[in-house]
């Protein structure tokens, strides 16, 4: 759930469950007519966009309230990438992350800065030509907010001449078994690979994310 409000008061007052107060500011952007958010939380992923009530533009700084439906009872890490747009053009992007417990409250500050130029649909570690967490892999979304593919438990590798990827770790893969990228094989954490010769082959994209299952084959959610 997302609500765009004036930069005052507590925007989480009207949100049940876990909530993040997101303070958005910029040294270069003064107003926007749309705020896009990409949210990665506890292995789940969602995107949303909002406009000022009644249309028009919103002046920065502004405050957004993000309600998070946390599965289970464990504290999770929430990573948010924001893109401020006007007339369909991205004026600035920024990112921040925090830990959040069920029913908890947190505050994040995101500073929008002019976006770097990334290649649409290509994969990048956060900070490599797009805003985000350096240990998370993102997909460049031409004209929109970068899309998180997943957290890289063993680090994100920048490859200037090709797509960046999550480093495989946690042991050696078993031939013929399936693994999410970053789990024993290099790759995209939202893609399922088959182990062959110690590397991942036959990539299958998981539209709803890839689930690591220790002791068994990984699967698409």
């Amino acid at each position: 759930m997302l609500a765009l409000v004036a930069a005052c008061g507590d925007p989480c007052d009207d949100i049940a469950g876990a909530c993040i107060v997101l303070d958005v500011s910029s040294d270069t952007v003064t107003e926007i007519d749309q705020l896009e958010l990409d949210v990665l939380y506890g292995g789940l992923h969602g995107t949303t966009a909002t406009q000022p009530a009644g249309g028009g533009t919103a002046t920065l700084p502004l405050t957004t309230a993000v309600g998070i439906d946390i599965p289970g009872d464990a504290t999770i890490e929430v990573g948010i990438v924001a893109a401020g747009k006007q007339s369909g053009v991205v004026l600035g992007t920024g990112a921040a992350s925090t830990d959040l417990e069920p029913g908890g409250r947190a505050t994040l500050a995101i500073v929008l800065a002019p976006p770097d130029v990334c290649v649409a649909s290509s994969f990048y570690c956060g900070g490599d030509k797009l805003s985000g967490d350096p240990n998370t892999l993102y997909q460049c979304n031409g004209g929109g907010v970068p899309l998180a593919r997943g957290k890289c438990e063993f680090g994100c590798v920048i490859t200037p001449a090709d797509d960046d990827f999550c480093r495989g770790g946690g042991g050696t893969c078993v031939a013929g078994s399936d693994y999410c990228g970053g789990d024993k094989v290099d790759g995209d954490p939202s893609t399922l690979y088959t182990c062959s010769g110690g590397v991942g082959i036959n990539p299958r994209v998981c539209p709803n994310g890839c689930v690591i299952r220790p002791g068994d084959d990984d699967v698409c959610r």
Side-chain angles (χ1 to χ4, degrees), residues 140-203:
C140 177
N141 177 19
V145 65
L147 305 174
R149 301 296 296 173
K151 192 82 173 178
C152 299
E153 182 177 354
F154 300 98
C156 195
V157 179
I158 296 174
T159 54
D162 204 345
D163 282 339
D164 297 347
F165 60 89
C166 285
R167 187 191 310 277
T172 302
C173 67
V174 176
S177 295
D178 291 337
Y179 298 89
C180 305
D183 178 27
K184 300 181 179 62
V185 298
D186 295 344
D188 164 31
S190 286
T191 294
L192 193 65
Y193 304 83
T194 299
C195 174
S196 177
V199 300
I201 64 170
N202 188 28

Side-chain angles (χ1 to χ4, degrees), residues 9-161:
D10 184 355
C12 282
D13 282 346
D14 297 326
I15 293 179
C19 182
I20 294 176
V21 175
L22 189 64
D23 295 324
V24 182
S25 63
S26 177
D27 294 329
T28 57
V29 181
T30 58
E31 60 182 23
I32 59 176
D33 60 20
Q34 184 179 58
L35 183 69
E36 291 186 357
L37 297 181
D38 182 88
V39 185
L40 184 66
Y41 57 105
L44 300 174
H45 175 253
T47 58
T48 188
T50 188
Q51 296 84 30
T57 61
T59 301
L60 272 59
L62 57 79
T63 298
T64 248
V66 184
I68 305 291
D69 183 13
I70 298 179
D73 56 5
T75 297
I76 63 172
E77 181 178 5
V78 180
I80 298 177
V81 182
K85 303 174 73 173
Q86 189 165 29
S87 300
V89 177
V90 176
L91 302 181
T93 62
S97 63
T98 187
D99 291 334
L100 189 64
E101 61 184 15
R105 295 288 189 271
T107 299
L108 283 178
I110 287 184
V111 179
L112 301 182
D116 290 329
V117 177
C118 59
V119 177
S121 298
S122 294
F123 293 160
Y124 298 89
C125 304
D128 178 27
K129 299 182 177 63
L130 48 75
S131 295
D133 167 36
N135 285 317
T136 296
L137 189 69
Y138 299 86
Q139 187 169 27
C140 177
N141 177 19
V145 65
L147 305 174
R149 301 296 296 173
K151 192 82 173 178
C152 299
E153 182 177 354
F154 300 98
C156 195
V157 179
I158 296 174
T159 54

